[in-house]
Amino acid sequence: HQRLPDWQSGLELWASALGHEVNGYTQAAVAHELNNRGDGPRACSLFAAALQDDPPYTTICENALRCPLRYGYLDKAVEAVALADAARCPQDDVMLGLQGLIFAHVGRWDEALARAERSENQTDPTLNLVRAAAARQAGDEVGYTTRRAATAGVSADEFDEHAARLLDAAARF
C-alpha cells in the first residue's frame, strides 16, 4: 500500500520511479508524460538528459528532436541534434528530415540541405520540403518546383504553405 499514491497518474508513477532510479528510461518516461500534458520545457530537458545517459537511451531520438521543435525552442532543437549525433541515433529518413527542418528553421541552410541529402529518398515530404525551401532560399525556383513535384502525398498548395512558413521562420530567427 506504500506505492498506491504513485498510481494516481502515469506522471506520478514515472516521477516516483525517476526519484528512485535516474536513468534514460525513467527520464524518457517522465518526458513522455510531461510532453503529453504540454509541459515543453521539462519534457524537452528530460528527453535531452535521456540521450546523455550512459549508455544513451536512443529509443527516444525522434522525440528528443520533435519536442523542442514542437514548442519552438529552436536553440534547444539545434542542441538536440548535437546530442542525437553524439548518442549515435539512427540516421533514417525521419531523423534526417527532422534534423534538416531544425537547421532550416534557424537559417542554417547548408546544414539543413546536407542532412536532407544524406537520404536517398526522393519522395519523402519532409526531406523534400527541406530541399525545396533551401533551393528557394538560394533563388533556385526550378529546384524548388522539381522538389515540390516529386513529393508524395502532399498537394502543391499545402507544400507551398509549409515552405513559406519554413522560410519565414528562418528569416525571423
Side-chain angles (χ1 to χ4, degrees), residues 35-53:
N35 195 34
N36 289 340
R37 288 169 170 71
D39 188 345
R42 292 194 306 160
C44 296
S45 292
L46 284 168
F47 281 132
L51 281 183
Q52 295 173 77
D53 196 22

Side-chain angles (χ1 to χ4, degrees), residues 8-14 29-40 42-43 70-71:
Q8 294 174 22
S9 70
L11 179 58
E12 293 294 323
L13 176 64
W14 285 112
V30 173
H32 280 293
E33 292 292 331
L34 293 169
N35 195 34
N36 289 340
R37 288 169 170 71
D39 188 345
R42 292 194 306 160
R70 172 185 177 190
Y71 294 103

Side-chain angles (χ1 to χ4, degrees), residues 113 116-117 119-122 127-135 147:
L113 190 56
E117 294 299 355
S119 172
E120 294 180 15
N121 187 325
Q122 299 299 310
L127 292 166
N128 274 350
L129 176 63
V130 171
R131 293 170 179 140
R147 290 297 182 185

Side-chain angles (χ1 to χ4, degrees), residues 10-166:
L11 179 58
E12 293 294 323
L13 176 64
W14 285 112
S16 176
L18 181 61
H20 294 290
E21 182 68 34
V22 177
N23 59 48
Y25 184 81
T26 56
Q27 290 167 323
V30 173
H32 280 293
E33 292 292 331
L34 293 169
N35 195 34
N36 289 340
R37 288 169 170 71
D39 188 345
R42 292 194 306 160
C44 296
S45 292
L46 284 168
F47 281 132
L51 281 183
Q52 295 173 77
D53 196 22
D54 186 19
Y57 187 64
T58 57
T59 302
I60 51 85
C61 290
E62 187 178 325
N63 296 56
L65 298 183
R66 284 189 190 281
C67 187
L69 192 57
R70 172 185 177 190
Y71 294 103
Y73 308 142
L74 298 178
D75 289 332
K76 294 286 184 196
V78 171
E79 290 173 18
V81 172
L83 291 174
D85 285 347
R88 299 189 191 275
C89 288
Q91 295 295 295
D92 59 19
D93 291 344
V94 171
M95 286 294 290
L96 292 170
L98 285 168
Q99 293 165 5
L101 277 178
I102 288 166
F103 285 126
H105 270 91
V106 298
R108 292 167 58 174
W109 293 104
D110 289 344
E111 290 168 275
L113 190 56
R115 296 292 173 139
E117 294 299 355
R118 286 185 191 174
S119 172
E120 294 180 15
N121 187 325
Q122 299 299 310
T123 60
D124 180 81
T126 303
L127 292 166
N128 274 350
L129 176 63
V130 171
R131 293 170 179 140
R136 178 164 276 174
Q137 190 276 334
D140 178 6
E141 285 302 311
V142 172
Y144 176 87
T145 304
T146 301
R147 290 297 182 185
R148 181 181 65 191
T151 301
V154 180
S155 72
D157 288 342
E158 185 180 2
F159 189 91
D160 289 343
E161 182 181 321
H162 286 292
R165 284 199 311 252
L166 181 56

